[in-house]
Amino acid sequence: MTRIRKAVIPAAGLGTRFYPLTRSQPKELLPIVDKPVIQYVVEEVVASGINEILIITGRGKEALTAYFEDHPLDGERGASFGIDSLPPINFVNQRQQKGLADAVRYAKNFVGDEPFALVLGDTIYTSKTDVPVTAQLLAAYERLNSPVIAVERVQHEKISDYGIIDGKEIEKGIWKIDALIEKPEPQNAPSDLGITGTYVLASDIFEMINKIQPGKNGEYQLTDALALLQKERPIYGVEFEGTRYDIGTKELWIKAFAEFTRKDVRFSNLI
Ligand code: UTP
């Protein structure tokens, strides 16, 4: 386990790709088998040694806060939600949905001067080893003493859905980043290494966020802030050992639901 104690989970996005479902239902509370996505995310960071959590919420996300309040059934037989084993969860409200980098800005007070894990509220990781993916990134941060970003190879035709890195592989699966580009056209992309939604960062990211302008879609892009940071000091892409389930679109959510159901002995006979 590392010394890094804090995790920030942005979950304020409008989820427009899920309309109309997300008119009043946060996508982070969509079920995957019998738990909402956000619970997988929280369990992942807790299993990685994190003991202070900040969830960034926003418009129409009141149910997310309610989910983590005490409930009369907590501790009852059959109630799977082990709130007693969870660290305190803090919430902050992103006032306008101006992009991921803007959301991260709201974590400044919580983070203080400490390094922190940044883990998206709409993405679940499963590990191929005993070490959760967040813990793999935390260990890489400590070893390299530099910000790290989880990356994975993405299909050529999907490249324009991702922030893409350019860099040199300094050891197996560790890339020293030379450039970051948000959603390039596949023919202009420097690589097929896509940024997937887990980061370990230090407090200097906030200075970089303050310098950027809104980019693609009028949103403040974290990739742009990371590109500024990369000019100041080394940052690394880490190919993690595991599988990522982004549940941000209907198709991806349905696929993730089906895959988790197939792997769950309680329900696998149903599909
Ligand atoms: P996405 O771009 O996938 O989420 O952001 P979105 O904006 O909710 O989705 P669409 O594009 O409208 O369908 C990735 C993560 O960043 C958070 C989201 O909640 C998600 O966890 N986010 C995004 C914020 O917290 N605030 C924002 O302004 C934007």
Side-chain angles (χ1 to χ4, degrees), residues 10-18 27-28 56 61 94 96-100 102-103 120-122 219 248:
L14 293 174
T16 51
R17 290 168 296 166
F18 247 113
K27 65 177 168 179
E28 296 81 5
I56 301 171
K61 303 270 180 162
Q94 183 189 17
Q96 289 180 311
Q97 278 57 62
K98 294 195 288 188
L100 178 58
D102 179 69
L120 298 187
D122 67 351
E219 295 194 340

Side-chain angles (χ1 to χ4, degrees), residues 101 105 108 147 202-213 220-233 235:
R105 213 194 293 266
K108 190 169 190 300
S203 58
D204 53 0
I205 191 65
F206 298 109
E207 289 160 43
M208 304 303 146
I209 292 174
N210 282 340
K211 289 186 187 160
I212 61 172
Q213 298 298 318
Y220 289 87
Q221 304 286 353
L222 189 63
T223 307
D224 293 341
L226 290 164
L228 290 184
L229 187 63
Q230 183 270 323
K231 296 203 162 62
E232 309 261 318
R233 62 159 162 156
I235 65 178

Side-chain angles (χ1 to χ4, degrees), residues 23-222:
R23 287 174 66 86
S24 65
Q25 153 85 36
K27 65 177 168 179
E28 296 81 5
L29 284 183
L30 289 171
I32 294 289
V33 190
D34 61 346
K35 289 190 291 193
V37 171
I38 192 79
Q39 187 167 341
Y40 289 88
V41 178
V42 167
E43 287 175 357
E44 152 95 15
V45 299
V46 172
S48 301
I50 293 296
N51 56 22
E52 277 185 69
I53 295 173
L54 177 71
I55 298 181
I56 301 171
T57 59
R59 210 188 167 287
K61 303 270 180 162
E62 295 76 15
L64 256 183
T65 320
Y67 183 78
F68 289 101
E69 284 167 4
D70 287 350
H71 190 282
L73 288 182
D74 288 341
E76 294 280 314
R77 202 161 63 88
S80 66
F81 188 52
I83 199 162
D84 290 343
S85 59
L86 293 184
I89 298 183
N90 305 281
F91 296 91
V92 64
N93 200 46
Q94 183 189 17
R95 286 201 292 269
Q96 289 180 311
Q97 278 57 62
K98 294 195 288 188
L100 178 58
D102 179 69
V104 173
R105 213 194 293 266
Y106 287 81
K108 190 169 190 300
N109 284 344
F110 170 79
V111 163
D113 280 335
E114 295 178 44
F116 63 101
L118 177 67
V119 183
L120 298 187
D122 67 351
T123 302
I124 299 173
Y125 291 85
T126 56
S127 178
K128 287 210 173 81
T129 72
D130 292 343
V131 185
V133 170
T134 302
Q136 294 174 27
L137 271 282
L138 292 171
Y141 178 98
E142 296 231 303
R143 195 160 58 79
L144 299 160
N145 200 19
S146 300
V148 293
I149 303 175
V151 296
E152 76 177 9
R153 295 198 182 274
V154 299
Q155 286 174 317
H156 188 73
E157 60 276 16
K158 295 271 182 327
I159 279 178
S160 55
D161 292 347
Y162 289 86
I164 299 288
I165 65 161
D166 190 10
K168 279 176 215 65
E169 192 171 24
I170 56 159
E171 58 185 81
K172 191 169 181 302
I174 307 278
W175 296 78
K176 182 163 186 299
I177 297 177
D178 296 325
L180 303 98
I181 303 147
E182 182 63 21
K183 300 190 171 68
E185 292 307 318
Q187 63 274 21
N188 302 331
S191 79
D192 62 353
L193 289 166
I195 300 173
T196 64
T198 296
Y199 313 75
V200 184
L201 303 171
S203 58
D204 53 0
I205 191 65
F206 298 109
E207 289 160 43
M208 304 303 146
I209 292 174
N210 282 340
K211 289 186 187 160
I212 61 172
Q213 298 298 318
K216 298 232 164 110
N217 320 326
E219 295 194 340
Y220 289 87
Q221 304 286 353
L222 189 63

Side-chain angles (χ1 to χ4, degrees), residues 228-270:
L228 290 184
L229 187 63
Q230 183 270 323
K231 296 203 162 62
E232 309 261 318
R233 62 159 162 156
I235 65 178
Y236 296 90
V238 176
E239 285 186 80
F240 53 91
E241 293 187 64
T243 308
R244 174 183 60 101
Y245 300 89
D246 170 2
I247 60 89
T249 70
K250 296 170 187 178
E251 295 76 12
L252 291 170
W253 171 63
I254 289 167
K255 273 168 77 175
F257 196 115
E259 202 165 317
F260 276 69
T261 305
R262 254 183 255 114
K263 284 188 190 147
D264 190 321
V265 289
R266 297 171 300 165
F267 305 112
S268 52
N269 62 330
L270 298 176

